[in-house]
Amino acid sequence: MILTRRNRILRQSSAIRSMVAETILTPNDFIVPLFIVEGEGVKEEIASMQGYFRYSLDNTIKEVKELWTMGLKCVLLFVKCKDELKNQYGNEALNPNGLMQRSIKAIKDAVPEMVVMTDVALDPFSSDGHDGVVINGEIVNDITVDVLAKMSVSHAEAGADFVAPSDMMDGRIAAIREALEENNFTKTGIMAYSAKYASCFYGPFRDALDSAPGFGDKKTYQMDYHNRTEAIKETLMDVEEGADIVMVKPALSYLDIIREVKNAVDIPVSAYNISGEYAMIKAAAKMGWIEEDKAILETITSIKRAGADLIATYFAKDVVRILNH
Ligand code: PBG
């Protein structure tokens, strides 16, 4: 055969392959989610997320220091609120001495350069387990947005670098930006969960925080997975309302959405490789059906290749460990 183009030339050795590789993972790509609980010396494995833990604040600080030495530069905080502090309005979310606010301060004190992002949504604090305020069985948009704006200011006051609203209420990005401006937080960023779909893959996370909805599901606020155009509409609105970073969530069943969003906006795009996506790899690896490290690298690279500038993932430390080998 006489061929003009032989594509295998660029695949013939590991050295050549690495020279022409288009997508390279680095520690700068990652956002590390952390689950924080009350107490001291606590390190509890989350049953449905093997190898991932809830830490009390003292152990969280140790973990954050380790992340920083590994080159990981950003954490995303979630707190597990005690049952007795939950109520209809999620008031504990605004407590200046709440676990979230104390955690932000302690982390910024211990590792000031670590970029601290905080989850903004009511589900961990709501007695109904919903991301918003429930009145007569309905998740009420505008009242919720008011609480979310106050919650964001409270996180900014504690020292958060970015607030990350994950609730999918309408108008919340504009309201949060306005509240931050009014309170002179001109350096606090907003990472908007812009295209967040109602997904069955959130299950393990809801175990981690004991935050499963008390009734119904989240389909009246999170997006319907049959839709694509709507993701672009949601994202462009968040950009207009003042988001600094937009997010697509989950990641794996939504790689097409990540690419379209990446092509549609001129700000960084993040993707959340969520708990169920983590659990599937862990479970198959445990059964001996896939090779865990290879599955992790292939999965995370696919998310970056799809267009994610930043990836929130429970595999961040694993990726750094594997890359350093
Ligand atoms: C809720 C929230 C969820 C996650 C992050 N923030 C769950 C949900 O919407 O029910 C999921 C993260 C994961 O599954 O890893 N505000």
Side-chain angles (χ1 to χ4, degrees):
M1 273 176 103
I2 296 176
L3 293 181
T4 310
R5 313 206 56 157
R6 287 192 179 272
N7 294 339
R8 293 181 58 192
I9 288 171
L10 294 181
R11 293 181 207 136
Q12 65 189 299
S13 73
S14 153
I16 294 177
R17 288 193 296 274
S18 65
M19 287 164 66
V20 300
E22 297 173 45
T23 309
I24 310 292
L25 297 174
T26 86
N28 300 333
D29 298 331
F30 298 110
I31 297 170
V32 185
L34 293 176
F35 298 117
I36 308 172
V37 293
E38 293 286 1
E40 257 176 63
V42 182
K43 180 182 179 183
E44 304 166 339
E45 189 169 46
I46 300 155
S48 48
M49 296 177 70
Q50 289 210 343
Y52 221 77
F53 299 87
R54 297 185 203 93
Y55 294 110
S56 49
L57 193 42
D58 52 343
N59 281 336
T60 300
I61 298 295
K62 285 187 200 154
E63 180 69 11
V64 170
K65 287 181 177 162
E66 187 186 329
L67 295 172
W68 186 257
T69 62
M70 293 177 78
L72 291 159
K73 301 186 175 69
C74 181
V75 291
L76 174 58
L77 308 186
F78 296 94
V79 296
K80 185 165 185 285
C81 179
K82 288 184 171 165
D83 273 344
E84 60 267 31
L85 296 176
K86 297 185 184 185
N87 67 19
Q88 182 185 8
Y89 289 90
N91 292 117
E92 179 60 16
L94 307 181
N95 178 356
N97 292 313
L99 182 56
M100 176 62 95
Q101 288 79 357
R102 278 182 280 131
S103 301
I104 300 166
K105 281 190 200 116
I107 293 171
K108 290 305 282 187
D109 277 349
V111 189
E113 285 178 281
M114 181 61 87
V115 178
V116 173
M117 295 183 166
T118 59
D119 187 59
V120 172
L122 295 185
D123 49 325
F125 309 97
S126 147
S127 42
D128 296 294
H130 275 287
D131 291 32
V133 175
V134 178
I135 299 175
N136 296 329
E138 208 180 294
I139 293 88
V140 182
N141 195 85
D142 299 8
I143 293 173
T144 302
V145 169
D146 192 49
V147 185
L148 297 175
K150 292 191 175 110
M151 189 176 177
S152 301
V153 170
S154 159
H155 293 181
E157 251 154 23
D161 297 294
F162 284 81
V163 291
S166 65
D167 55 285
M168 290 302 279
M169 297 299 129
D170 290 329
R172 90 274 209 222
I173 302 303
I176 290 170
R177 178 59 80 199
E178 197 182 314
L180 290 173
E181 287 287 319
E182 279 170 4
N183 289 278
N184 246 328
F185 291 111
T186 54
K187 292 197 286 188
T188 312
I190 304 174
M191 179 171 74
Y193 287 61
S194 299
K196 176 171 178 179
Y197 287 84
S199 168
C200 74
F201 295 107
Y202 300 138
F205 172 96
R206 294 175 189 170
D207 282 350
L209 293 188
D210 184 22
S211 62
F215 68 91
D217 51 40
K218 298 193 175 184
K219 289 182 182 168
T220 68
Y221 44 108
Q222 298 179 347
M223 281 182 53
D224 181 341
Y225 60 72
H226 300 90
N227 297 348
R228 183 168 61 87
T229 319
E230 191 186 2
I232 305 301
K233 175 182 77 172
E234 283 281 3
T235 306
L236 292 179
M237 284 177 71
D238 283 356
V239 174
E240 254 171 51
E241 289 181 31
D244 299 284
I245 301 172
V246 288
M247 181 189 274
V248 175
K249 178 184 182 180
L252 293 182
S253 299
Y254 302 87
L255 294 174
D256 57 332
I257 307 297
I258 296 174
R259 172 45 59 188
E260 288 209 36
V261 164
K262 176 66 183 165
N263 291 345
V265 302
D266 56 6
I267 63 174
V269 175
S270 62
Y272 201 137
N273 174 222
I274 62 162
S275 57
E277 299 171 338
Y278 173 87
M280 286 193 291
I281 290 183
K282 282 284 172 182
K286 194 175 173 195
M287 294 299 287
W289 293 341
I290 57 169
E291 286 182 59
E292 181 167 336
D293 286 0
K294 289 181 179 170
I296 292 171
L297 280 192
E298 189 171 333
T299 300
I300 303 301
T301 302
S302 78
I303 298 169
K304 184 165 182 184
R305 193 188 61 228
D309 301 294
L310 293 166
I311 304 168
T313 177
Y314 306 101
F315 286 125
K317 277 172 87 176
D318 292 295
V319 172
V320 174
R321 170 182 55 77
I322 301 165
L323 292 178
N324 288 340
H325 253 78

